[in-house]
Amino acid sequence: MKKHIGKWLTVIIPLLIGIGIIYYQYTTLTAEEIDKIKISFEKANYYFILLSLVIACLGYWSRAYRWKFALNHLGYETKFSNNFFTVCVSYLVNLTVPRSGEISRAALLKKYEDVPFDKAFGTIVAERIVDLLIFFLFVFIAFVSQFDKIYEFLLSENVSLESLIISGIVGLMLFFVFILIWVYAEWRIILNLKKKLSGLIEGISTVYKMKDKWEYVFHSFFIWFSYLGMFYVTIFALPETSKMSFDIVIMGFIFGSLAVGFTNGGLGAYPFSIALIFSLYGITKDIGTAFGWLVWASQTILTILLGLISYVLLPVLNRNK
């Protein structure tokens, strides 16, 4: 019973947060700003929205193609179609419970390609680690180039640099304590976890040991550049954002990416964060909000369509299995 309640809470709580953000954003907009947002949707150049979706599809393709290198290293030859469709379904599942798509992706590969769940999941975790490192690289470059603007914003929100440094130091200390416990502790719970995660660790280690590691790295960067390209192309959909400088684009991209994991697929949080970041650069709330909703809505529709189509095609194309 508790398990079912916990599962429902992981869906409902982020959903309620997203709805709450939408309500807050709507109530803080004036009638004139709401009218301007509607006009922005009407006059948007949807050619660039379509182009952004094409670029997003390239990211889907690259993620599925990258996966085969890790699976091949473990000795599993899988069909690209199954890799691609399971990736699409995982994106769809992530719209319900953040990060739950990874579990469904490994489970579907076990069902249609008979790859052990723990090993498939290990390769997915390895992907996430690599993706996180690349994302941190984007964050580092953006924050270094925009330090003055970010520091000015933090001061306006009464967040001091000293408190951030102290939080970072405490976080690092806790991380090192965890590593020491994991490596040296002989506690039964730690030993059991290590045993259960043996297949997971094997999957993670594939990145360092695989023969095609450089192709894997290339696709890892390609995936993130496709995400950035998708976001960048969309600025040309609105006249007010078409001449936006790249430093604004990358800041919006970073905070939008963070917002996606905050609620169900970034519901409410994504356009809110985009409008907030854009406002730091003098872009009005109505334009920032309209842009955020254009990006979020178009990408969410694509995710739903590809996910549903993939979910239907997987059993059809694997009916002899």
Side-chain angles (χ1 to χ4, degrees), residues 6-248:
K7 187 180 293 185
W8 276 106
L9 286 176
T10 58
V11 177
I12 294 172
I13 291 176
L15 182 62
L16 290 176
I17 292 173
I19 294 172
I21 292 173
I22 293 172
Y23 177 77
Y24 171 78
Q25 191 175 34
Y26 179 79
T27 54
T28 56
L29 290 168
T30 65
E32 184 182 358
E33 286 173 329
I34 293 173
D35 288 337
K36 287 181 178 179
I37 291 172
K38 293 177 181 178
I39 293 171
S40 294
F41 271 93
E42 291 171 1
K43 69 180 182 182
N45 188 336
Y46 284 92
Y47 164 78
F48 290 104
I49 300 296
L50 181 60
L51 181 58
S52 74
L53 297 182
V54 172
I55 296 172
C57 287
L58 291 176
Y60 279 68
W61 170 84
S62 187
R63 184 172 290 280
Y65 194 79
R66 178 183 66 171
W67 199 13
K68 77 170 186 139
F69 297 122
L71 293 171
N72 287 350
H73 177 76
L74 295 178
Y76 299 100
E77 293 282 344
T78 58
K79 293 180 181 178
F80 173 76
S81 59
N82 284 338
N83 291 358
F84 180 78
F85 291 144
T86 55
V87 164
C88 292
V89 172
S90 72
Y91 275 96
L92 175 62
V93 174
N94 276 335
L95 293 179
T96 58
V97 181
R99 302 273 70 91
S100 62
E102 284 77 0
I103 297 173
S104 65
R105 187 171 151 198
L108 286 171
L109 201 71
K110 171 69 174 70
K111 180 177 181 180
Y112 293 113
E113 291 286 356
D114 201 28
V115 177
F117 176 87
D118 59 342
K119 293 188 177 182
F121 189 68
T123 63
I124 297 168
V125 172
E127 288 182 9
R128 289 306 180 190
I129 293 172
V130 172
D131 289 341
L132 192 61
L133 291 174
I134 295 174
F135 179 68
F136 281 154
L137 179 61
F138 275 94
V139 172
F140 177 77
I141 294 172
F143 274 53
V144 168
S145 63
Q146 297 294 301
F147 179 79
D148 292 341
K149 180 68 69 175
I150 295 168
Y151 186 56
E152 180 183 330
F153 171 72
L154 291 175
L155 288 178
S156 69
E157 296 294 319
N158 297 319
V159 179
S160 65
L161 182 61
E162 291 77 10
S163 63
L164 290 175
I165 292 173
I166 292 172
S167 299
I169 292 172
V170 172
L172 282 173
M173 289 175 63
L174 291 174
F175 175 74
F176 283 121
V177 168
F178 171 78
I179 294 298
L180 289 173
I181 292 174
W182 180 263
V183 173
Y184 296 108
E186 297 292 331
W187 303 339
R188 180 176 295 179
I189 186 172
I190 297 295
L191 295 176
N192 287 337
L193 277 174
K194 286 181 179 179
K195 184 177 180 180
K196 290 181 179 180
L197 294 176
S198 59
L200 184 65
I201 294 170
E202 182 180 354
I204 295 172
S205 67
T206 58
V207 178
Y208 307 98
K209 299 177 181 179
M210 69 177 68
K211 182 180 67 174
D212 303 309
K213 64 170 68 70
W214 294 116
E215 289 90 341
Y216 186 97
V217 171
F218 168 80
H219 279 279
S220 298
F221 276 97
F222 181 86
I223 290 165
W224 278 97
F225 280 113
S226 71
Y227 293 163
L228 179 59
M230 171 273 297
F231 189 89
Y232 178 71
V233 163
T234 312
I235 72 171
F236 300 106
L238 296 177
E240 295 86 351
T241 58
S242 60
K243 292 182 171 56
M244 186 186 294
S245 61
F246 189 72
D247 57 343
I248 306 176

